[in-house]
Amino acid sequence: MNYVDGFVIAVPTAKKEAYLRHATVAAQVFKEFGALEIVECWGDDVPDGKVTSFPMAVQRKADETVVFSWISWPDKALRNDGMKKFMDDPRIKEMKDMPFDGQRMIFGGFQVILEKK
């Protein structure tokens, strides 16, 4: 089964277009290195929680929107190789102005255990 990298971040709402440009370049590079699918979702109905929530997890500020993203890979080995190539790619290294605070990004790799289409 596929392997998935998941991400949750807080993006300044005013930087939506800058984020989309950033994500578009990153997606192109991920695809070149073997990713099957890259999905970026701009928060539309992301409520604050009392105990836990996406906004709490990324310490969302009033002027930010939660973004939920994932990258699907054929397997973990290709993901590990693709991620290394991604991080070493000059196009990624040239991206100096991140349109979000990367320190508040939540991310992880996941084994797919059920997929129903």
Side-chain angles (χ1 to χ4, degrees):
M1 279 204 158
N2 293 357
Y3 195 81
V4 174
D5 282 306
F7 308 88
V8 181
I9 58 176
V11 177
T13 304
K15 292 187 176 184
K16 182 178 182 180
E17 292 306 315
Y19 178 79
L20 188 55
R21 285 191 302 273
H22 173 88
T24 300
V25 171
Q28 178 182 347
V29 176
F30 278 126
K31 289 287 283 184
E32 287 176 23
F33 295 139
L36 300 172
E37 177 182 48
I38 297 92
V39 178
E40 297 284 345
C41 305
W42 191 259
D44 179 48
D45 184 14
V46 187
D48 290 318
K50 292 182 181 178
V51 177
T52 187
S53 67
F54 283 122
M56 290 169 67
V58 294
Q59 300 173 3
R60 186 196 66 189
K61 298 174 184 167
D63 64 342
E64 294 178 326
T65 299
V66 174
V67 172
F68 176 61
S69 308
W70 67 89
I71 305 167
S72 180
W73 301 89
D75 57 51
K76 187 175 181 180
L78 187 60
R79 174 267 201 166
N80 289 346
D81 185 57
M83 275 294 190
K84 181 177 180 346
K85 289 177 180 174
F86 176 86
M87 297 305 285
D88 292 338
D89 191 278
R91 293 166 291 183
I92 302 308
K93 289 186 175 197
E94 289 171 4
M95 282 200 232
K96 304 242 188 268
D97 273 340
M98 299 270 282
F100 59 90
D101 179 358
Q103 292 183 348
R104 292 186 286 141
M105 177 191 301
I106 297 172
F107 60 91
F110 300 85
Q111 294 178 355
V112 176
I113 61 170
L114 175 69
E115 184 174 28
K116 189 156 178 89
K117 292 185 180 188

